[in-house]
């Protein structure tokens, strides 16, 4: 999903809430309404390297954990791609990153 935000004034917590509001209000996200999305992480930034995993960035860096931090202050720039996910499910996947199609 693409959510336009002002990176100079929006906090991490506000962005997570905007995402959750969109998930709860847009019918195409209905299958995800039971998931507790509690973590944001930088997936990639413009002109940067993309991870080899097309689902989620499994590197240890990039977690946005300070809920009150302004996006720009934690390194978010224009065209930054973020992952929103459940941390418990992420940690379980990281232990066994098998992809089942």
């Amino acid at each position: 999903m693409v959510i336009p935000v002002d990176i100079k004034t929006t906090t991490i917590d506000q962005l997570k809430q905007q995402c959750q509001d969109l998930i709860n209000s847009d019918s195409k996200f209905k299958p995800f309404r039971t998931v507790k999305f509690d973590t944001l992480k930088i997936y990639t930034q413009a002109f940067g390297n993309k991870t080899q995993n097309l689902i989620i960035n499994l590197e240890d860096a990039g977690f946005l954990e300070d809920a009150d931090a302004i996006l720009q202050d934690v390194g978010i720039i224009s065209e930054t791609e973020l992952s929103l996910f459940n941390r418990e499910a992420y940690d379980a996947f990281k232990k066994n990153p098998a992809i089942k199609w």
Side-chain angles (χ1 to χ4, degrees), residues 56-91:
I56 197 164
N57 177 350
L58 294 175
E59 297 172 6
D60 291 330
F63 286 100
L64 305 177
E65 298 177 307
D66 181 358
D68 296 324
I70 301 294
L71 296 175
Q72 184 176 359
D73 295 343
V74 295
I76 304 300
I77 58 174
S78 180
E79 298 185 34
T80 297
E81 295 178 28
L82 301 173
S83 297
L84 176 67
F85 53 91
N86 176 278
R87 183 65 182 261
E88 185 178 323
Y90 169 87
D91 290 337

Side-chain angles (χ1 to χ4, degrees), residues 23-90:
I23 290 167
N24 291 335
S25 64
D26 192 326
S27 62
K28 69 181 165 219
F29 298 115
K30 191 173 183 177
F32 303 103
R33 291 183 184 161
T34 60
V35 177
K36 181 184 177 218
F37 293 102
D38 57 6
T39 304
L40 273 172
K41 184 176 183 184
I42 296 174
Y43 178 71
T44 188
Q45 292 184 309
F47 309 107
N49 296 328
K50 285 203 173 202
T51 177
Q52 293 296 323
N53 189 314
L54 300 178
I55 298 171
I56 197 164
N57 177 350
L58 294 175
E59 297 172 6
D60 291 330
F63 286 100
L64 305 177
E65 298 177 307
D66 181 358
D68 296 324
I70 301 294
L71 296 175
Q72 184 176 359
D73 295 343
V74 295
I76 304 300
I77 58 174
S78 180
E79 298 185 34
T80 297
E81 295 178 28
L82 301 173
S83 297
L84 176 67
F85 53 91
N86 176 278
R87 183 65 182 261
E88 185 178 323
Y90 169 87

Side-chain angles (χ1 to χ4, degrees), residues 1-22 40 64 69-82 84:
M1 75 180 89
V2 175
I3 299 178
V5 295
D6 182 353
I7 62 172
K8 296 176 184 175
T9 60
T10 305
T11 66
I12 292 169
D13 197 47
Q14 289 171 332
L15 179 58
K16 284 197 284 190
Q17 187 59 53
Q18 286 178 338
C19 292
Q20 194 63 56
D21 291 346
L22 184 59
L40 273 172
L64 305 177
I70 301 294
L71 296 175
Q72 184 176 359
D73 295 343
V74 295
I76 304 300
I77 58 174
S78 180
E79 298 185 34
T80 297
E81 295 178 28
L82 301 173
L84 176 67

